[in-house]
């Protein structure tokens, strides 16, 4: 009784401060680094102050591009000032102590400035995108008001999203250790000293990075891909050279060559306006799905393997549903989620395969606009839903392996229903703008889609008006749903592997890994297929049927092979199949 009592008393204590130990492993000579760090900090302050003073005093620099640069200078100064004074004080005066409120405040400010820098880079990328791709509208879109609104939005976004980080850290209980092997208060470095569970801290840190840094990075690279696409279409080498000097000129005088090219194109368009006005007012009544581009003559030979895959997908997934329903031993969250995945797979395959087979067998290529937009919605909803179910299954395995004693209280039938409904609502609502935005475009002349199904970008590429918002939303949707799901899935499995490797028993390790091996195979297959599908679009111009064929196979192969993988890797499911099919009446129930 003495030992538990002493442990309880010590664990109820709350430390009053943290100790910043500095750079781990080199405590003896880390003070020698103080001079270069002090010089870098002094250089950062002087350089950024000089930028701000120069922009303020030079009237020619009072343009959005340099306004954003000035804001970036402020953010850089704030980020450096948040950490460097304390680091130098630690090195020079051995003042290693920092109070808990000061440490949590530093965590908040570091994250704010860091994510603010990412947001300003995004604003600068959008500024360059509009300047290069839409030069005639640049002055009306990117104004001082735009800069103020964009900056205000980034401040609010980062400020609000980051508030939970220090709050969650402050809610942890720090009862014994207080030495941080770091020069500053990092979120995970501080919470690793807590005596209670910090899983929620780690997950929120990961989610925050994916939502803010991940989305900013995706939009920045998308902007520069579109910029590169526009630049390579210019016929003037001089204009291309000017664009890649400071990336793009902002002032009217320095962008005259770009605007001249745009005006030439505009004047050419104006010459044909009278002849196209009447036709541009027409709205096509249907689209034509021409099939696989480049192989129209013999694409019907693909109908047999595609039909077999579709029948296999239906039979296998229906068999899984019947087996889970009839076998009481399979009435567990893991198999209930597998049943939901089977329903999603049936829906995904049925959304596209009947129309594809009708095209290949009966040459029924016409599809109305409403049917096409409905197919866009259904395909994206089921695709994102499949990704969401994989995430739920990963979390289920994470709790089962890392918290086995709490599994039955955390993961139960109610949690499965809540998780499924949240995924249905998330994907159903976030996907609605795709067909809505596609329907708002004007389709005035072309109506032939070089595809077997209605893909969002394939349909909107036929529009006569601007489709930038469609492309941006498609990319944002992919990052918010598939990107975040993939990040959380792999994070769950990283934590699972970490827990498994800590087990001393080889038998326990093997058993733990076997419970999630089939799921891991499906996840790797699904996300690898998504990545391969994205990469194959790069070959779309030279071999156009490749991305189209991959798109079709990606929608029909997972529904066909998911049940087979689970049947081969899961003994309980195999036994259930035998009972349902009457092949193993004498098989004992496990």
């Amino acid at each position: 009784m003495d030992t538990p009592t002493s442990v309880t008393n010590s664990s109820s204590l709350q430390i009053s401060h943290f100790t910043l130990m500095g750079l781990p492993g080199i405590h003896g000579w880390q003070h020698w680094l103080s001079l270069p760090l002090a010089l870098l900090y002094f250089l950062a302050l002087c350089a950024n102050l000089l930028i701000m003073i120069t922009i303020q005093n030079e009237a020619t620099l009072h343009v959005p591009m340099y306004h954003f640069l000035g804001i970036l200078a402020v953010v850089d100064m704030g980020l450096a000032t948040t950490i460097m004074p304390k680091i130098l004080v630690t090195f020079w005066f051995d003042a290693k102590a920092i109070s808990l409120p000061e440490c949590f405040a530093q965590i908040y400010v570091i994250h704010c400035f860091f994510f603010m820098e990412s947001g300003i880079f995004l604003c600068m990328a959008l500024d360059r995108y509009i300047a290069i791709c839409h030069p005639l509208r640049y002055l009306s879109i990117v104004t001082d008001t735009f800069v103020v609104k964009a900056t205000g939005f980034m401040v609010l976004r980062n400020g609000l999203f980051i508030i939970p980080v220090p709050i969650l850290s402050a809610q942890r209980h720090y009862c014994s250790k207080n030495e941080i092997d770091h020069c500053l208060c990092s979120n995970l470095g501080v919470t690793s000293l807590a005596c209670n569970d910090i899983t929620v801290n780690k997950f929120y840190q990961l989610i925050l990075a994916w939502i803010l840094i991940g989305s900013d990075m995706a939009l920045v690279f998308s902007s520069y891909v579109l910029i590169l696409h526009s630049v390579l279409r210019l016929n003037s080498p001089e204009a291309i050279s000017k664009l890649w000097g400071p990336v793009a000129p902002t002032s009217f005088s320095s962008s005259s060559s770009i605007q001249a090219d745009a005006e030439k194109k505009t004047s050419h368009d104006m010459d044909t306006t009278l002849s196209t006005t009447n036709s541009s007012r027409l709205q096509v009544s249907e689209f034509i799905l021409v099939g696989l581009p480049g192989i129209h003559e013999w694409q019907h030979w693909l109908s047999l393997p595609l039909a077999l895959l579709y029948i296999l997908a239906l039979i296998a997934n229906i068999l899984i549903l019947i087996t889970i329903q009839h076998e009481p031993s399979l009435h567990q969250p893991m198999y209930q989620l597998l049943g939901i995945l089977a329903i999603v797979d049936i829906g995904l395959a049925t959304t596209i395969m009947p129309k594809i087979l009708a095209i290949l067998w009966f040459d029924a290529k016409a599809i109305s606009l409403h049917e096409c937009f409905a197919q866009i919605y259904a395909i994206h909803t089921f695709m994102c839903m499949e990704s969401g179910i994989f995430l739920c299954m990963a979390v289920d395995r994470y709790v089962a392996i890392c918290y086995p004693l709490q599994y039955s209280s955390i993961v139960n039938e109610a949690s499965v229903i809540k998780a499924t409904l949240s995924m249905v609502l998330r994907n159903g609502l976030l996907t609605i703008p795709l067909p809505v935005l596609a329907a708002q475009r004007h389709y005035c002349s072309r109506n032939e889609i070089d595809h077997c199904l209605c893909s969002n970008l394939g349909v909107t590429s036929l529009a006569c008006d601007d489709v930038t918002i469609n492309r941006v939303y498609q990319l944002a949707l992919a990052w918010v749903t598939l990107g975040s799901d993939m990040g959380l899935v792999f994070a769950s499995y990283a934590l699972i592997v970490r827990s498994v490797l800590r087990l001393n028993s080889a038998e326990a390790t093997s058993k733990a890994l076997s419970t999630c091996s089939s799921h891991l195979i499906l996840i790797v297959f699904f996300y690898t297929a998504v990545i391969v599908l994205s990469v194959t679009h790069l070959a779309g111009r030279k071999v156009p049927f490749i991305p189209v064929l991959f798109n079709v196979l990606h929608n029909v192969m997972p529904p066909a092979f998911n049940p087979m993988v689970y049947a081969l890797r899961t003994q309980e499911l195999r036994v259930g199949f035998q009972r349902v099919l009457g092949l193993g009446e004498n098989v004992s129930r496990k």
Side-chain angles (χ1 to χ4, degrees), residues 130-316:
I130 298 171
I132 295 171
C133 300
H134 303 283
L136 298 179
R137 295 192 289 173
Y138 177 77
L139 295 177
S140 61
I141 296 175
V142 184
T143 60
D144 290 345
T145 304
F146 173 86
V147 174
V148 172
K149 289 180 179 179
T151 307
F153 170 77
M154 288 299 168
V155 171
L156 286 174
R157 182 196 74 164
N158 300 321
L160 295 177
F161 269 103
I162 295 164
I163 287 175
V165 173
I167 291 177
L168 290 171
S169 298
Q171 288 176 346
R172 302 284 72 83
H173 189 69
Y174 305 92
C175 56
S176 55
K177 295 185 296 178
N178 73 333
E179 292 184 349
I180 304 173
D181 260 338
H182 211 307
C183 309
L184 52 88
C185 289
S186 67
N187 182 39
L188 297 182
V190 170
T191 53
S192 65
L193 304 178
C195 302
N196 47 357
D197 184 56
I198 59 169
T199 303
V200 66
N201 300 68
K202 294 178 179 178
F203 269 110
Y204 191 79
Q205 177 91 10
L206 184 66
I207 292 170
L208 190 67
W210 270 94
I211 290 177
L212 299 184
I213 299 292
S215 59
D216 288 350
M217 184 170 63
L219 293 173
V220 166
F221 280 110
S222 301
S223 299
Y224 276 98
V225 167
L226 295 173
I227 288 171
L228 181 61
H229 178 69
S230 295
V231 168
L232 294 179
R233 294 169 65 184
L234 295 175
N235 295 323
S236 168
E238 183 183 355
I240 294 176
S241 176
K242 280 191 175 183
L243 283 172
W244 293 110
V247 180
T250 315
S251 63
F252 179 79
S253 59
S254 61
S255 63
S256 59
S257 63
I258 307 166
Q259 295 197 10
D261 285 345
E263 287 166 2
K264 287 178 184 177
K265 184 178 182 297
T266 304
S267 63
H268 177 267
D269 292 342
M270 288 296 292
D271 292 337
T272 58
T273 299
L274 294 177
S275 62
T276 59
T277 300
N278 293 331
S279 64
S280 65
R281 291 182 180 179
L282 298 174
Q283 175 82 357
V284 298
S285 59
E286 63 182 18
F287 294 120
I288 305 297
L289 296 169
V290 298
L292 298 172
I295 57 169
H296 296 158
E297 295 77 11
W298 56 275
Q299 63 184 6
H300 58 278
W301 293 104
L302 291 173
S303 62
L304 182 59
L306 289 176
L308 290 175
L309 279 174
Y310 179 48
I311 293 171
L312 176 63
L314 291 181
I315 293 175

Side-chain angles (χ1 to χ4, degrees), residues 368-427:
S368 69
L369 271 66
H370 297 298
E371 289 175 339
C372 194
F373 299 141
Q375 190 181 62
I376 289 173
Y377 177 76
I379 289 173
H380 283 82
T381 300
F382 282 123
M383 184 69 68
C384 296
M385 189 68 193
E386 185 151 1
S387 176
I389 296 302
F390 280 136
L391 172 59
C392 294
M393 295 169 83
V395 173
D396 169 78
R397 291 300 84 202
Y398 165 72
V399 177
I401 294 173
C402 298
Y403 300 97
L405 299 179
Q406 304 172 35
Y407 177 75
S408 58
S409 62
I410 297 175
V411 183
N412 47 44
E413 190 172 342
S415 64
V416 171
I417 293 172
K418 290 177 183 178
T420 305
L421 288 177
S422 67
M423 287 300 164
V424 170
L425 287 173
R426 182 197 74 166
N427 301 318

Side-chain angles (χ1 to χ4, degrees), residues 276-533:
T276 59
T277 300
N278 293 331
S279 64
S280 65
R281 291 182 180 179
L282 298 174
Q283 175 82 357
V284 298
S285 59
E286 63 182 18
F287 294 120
I288 305 297
L289 296 169
V290 298
L292 298 172
I295 57 169
H296 296 158
E297 295 77 11
W298 56 275
Q299 63 184 6
H300 58 278
W301 293 104
L302 291 173
S303 62
L304 182 59
L306 289 176
L308 290 175
L309 279 174
Y310 179 48
I311 293 171
L312 176 63
L314 291 181
I315 293 175
N317 284 290
I318 289 173
L319 181 60
I320 278 188
L321 289 170
I322 294 172
T323 303
I324 293 173
Q325 176 66 27
H326 282 251
E327 284 295 313
S329 61
L330 301 181
H331 293 175
Q332 305 171 26
M334 175 181 174
Y335 297 106
Q336 290 168 346
L337 290 171
L338 179 60
I340 296 166
L341 181 65
I343 295 173
V344 172
D345 283 339
I346 292 173
L348 180 60
T350 305
T351 299
I352 64 167
M353 284 310 301
K355 182 60 182 177
I356 291 176
L357 295 177
I359 293 170
L360 299 180
W361 285 344
F362 308 111
D363 205 36
K365 298 180 178 179
I367 183 171
S368 69
L369 271 66
H370 297 298
E371 289 175 339
C372 194
F373 299 141
Q375 190 181 62
I376 289 173
Y377 177 76
I379 289 173
H380 283 82
T381 300
F382 282 123
M383 184 69 68
C384 296
M385 189 68 193
E386 185 151 1
S387 176
I389 296 302
F390 280 136
L391 172 59
C392 294
M393 295 169 83
V395 173
D396 169 78
R397 291 300 84 202
Y398 165 72
V399 177
I401 294 173
C402 298
Y403 300 97
L405 299 179
Q406 304 172 35
Y407 177 75
S408 58
S409 62
I410 297 175
V411 183
N412 47 44
E413 190 172 342
S415 64
V416 171
I417 293 172
K418 290 177 183 178
T420 305
L421 288 177
S422 67
M423 287 300 164
V424 170
L425 287 173
R426 182 197 74 166
N427 301 318
L429 294 176
L430 288 179
T431 310
I432 287 175
L434 280 180
V436 172
L437 290 171
Q440 288 177 347
R441 302 283 71 82
H442 188 69
Y443 305 91
C444 55
S445 55
R446 295 180 301 156
N447 71 335
E448 291 187 351
I449 304 173
D450 263 336
H451 212 307
C452 306
L453 51 89
C454 289
S455 67
N456 182 43
L457 298 182
V459 170
T460 54
S461 65
L462 304 178
C464 303
D465 46 356
D466 185 51
V467 296
T468 303
I469 188 172
N470 301 69
R471 294 175 179 173
V472 170
Y473 191 81
Q474 172 97 18
L475 184 65
L477 182 68
W479 271 94
V480 170
T481 54
L482 297 181
S484 59
D485 288 349
M486 183 167 63
L488 293 173
V489 164
F490 284 109
S492 299
Y493 273 96
L495 295 173
I496 287 172
V497 170
R498 181 186 174 191
S499 295
V500 167
L501 293 178
R502 289 179 172 179
L503 298 175
N504 296 323
S505 168
E507 183 182 355
T509 301
S510 176
K511 187 175 181 180
L513 290 176
S514 66
T515 62
C516 55
S517 59
S518 55
H519 177 225
L520 189 57
I521 291 171
L522 297 184
I523 285 173
V524 171
F525 178 71
F526 177 79
Y527 288 115
T528 301
V530 171
I531 294 170
V532 170
L533 181 63

